[in-house]
């Protein structure tokens, strides 16, 4: 079972998707976890999620960890499918709880109430590809699965 979780091809296009998604979500997660890149850090993000958005604390922690640890996992290609699943779950919840009422498009011109869900849709589809196909070339998953055979 664990071997199937790690199994992936040596596909460089999967590696490219994995790395770009990993860096993107690490940066978003570092805002929430560490306060880097203009973020509020763990306690500020928890306060916003639990007090303003009324997300139960365990789910708020999961959301922060999914972006931060999921980003790291994707960067190195370790447990890529699990990392992608956590990020995909975050994206579905973000669309349903926040972004769907704002329509498809991001707020490029500042004319709408909030951000749409186009970014989240792209991230969700990339995560789905990684969940199905694995992390691809240059991944810890690939190295571990090739040794297990």
């Amino acid at each position: 079972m664990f071997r199937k979780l790690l199994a992936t091809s040596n596909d460089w296009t999967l590696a490219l998707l994995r790395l770009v998604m990993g860096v993107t979500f690490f940066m978003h997660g570092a805002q929430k976890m560490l306060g880097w890149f203009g973020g509020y850090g763990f306690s500020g993000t928890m306060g916003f999620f639990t007090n303003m958005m009324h997300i139960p604390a365990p789910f708020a922690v999961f959301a922060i960890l999914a972006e931060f640890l999921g980003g790291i996992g994707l960067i190195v290609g370790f447990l890529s499918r699990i990392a992608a699943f956590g990020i995909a779950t975050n994206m579905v919840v973000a669309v349903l709880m926040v972004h769907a009422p704002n329509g498809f498009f991001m707020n490029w011109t500042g004319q709408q109430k909030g951000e749409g869900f186009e970014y989240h849709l792209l991230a969700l589809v990339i995560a789905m590809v990684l969940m199905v196909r694995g992390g691809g070339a240059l991944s810890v998953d690939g190295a571990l699965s090739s040794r297990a055979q």
Side-chain angles (χ1 to χ4, degrees):
M1 175 68 170
F2 190 64
R3 220 174 344 166
K4 285 185 179 183
L5 182 67
L6 298 177
T8 189
S9 66
N10 201 27
D11 189 337
W12 66 270
T13 56
L14 293 173
L16 182 62
L17 286 175
R18 176 179 52 80
L19 288 169
V20 170
M21 177 171 255
V23 169
T24 300
F25 277 89
F26 169 77
M27 293 180 76
H28 280 279
Q31 287 180 313
K32 293 171 179 72
M33 177 70 86
L34 306 172
W36 293 1
F37 313 114
Y40 296 108
F42 186 78
S43 61
T45 303
M46 282 295 292
F48 176 74
F49 282 172
T50 57
N51 298 327
M52 302 298 289
M53 297 187 69
H54 307 292
I55 297 172
F59 292 125
V61 169
F62 173 73
I64 294 167
L65 292 176
E67 288 188 14
F68 184 68
L69 297 178
I72 293 170
L74 289 178
I75 290 169
V76 299
F78 181 62
L79 299 176
S80 301
R81 287 181 168 92
I82 293 172
F85 177 76
I87 290 170
T89 302
N90 260 10
M91 294 298 95
V92 168
V93 171
V95 168
L96 295 176
M97 287 190 67
V98 179
H99 300 284
N102 300 321
F104 180 77
F105 294 104
M106 300 296 289
N107 192 9
W108 297 108
T109 61
Q111 302 298 313
Q112 64 191 45
K113 181 181 173 196
E115 302 291 345
F117 60 87
E118 63 180 313
Y119 163 81
H120 306 84
L121 183 61
L122 288 169
L124 181 59
V125 170
I126 292 169
M128 290 171 67
V129 169
L130 294 173
M131 285 187 289
V132 170
R133 300 283 315 276
L138 304 173
S139 66
V140 172
D141 292 345
L144 291 174
S145 67
S146 67
R147 287 186 186 157
Q149 293 179 3

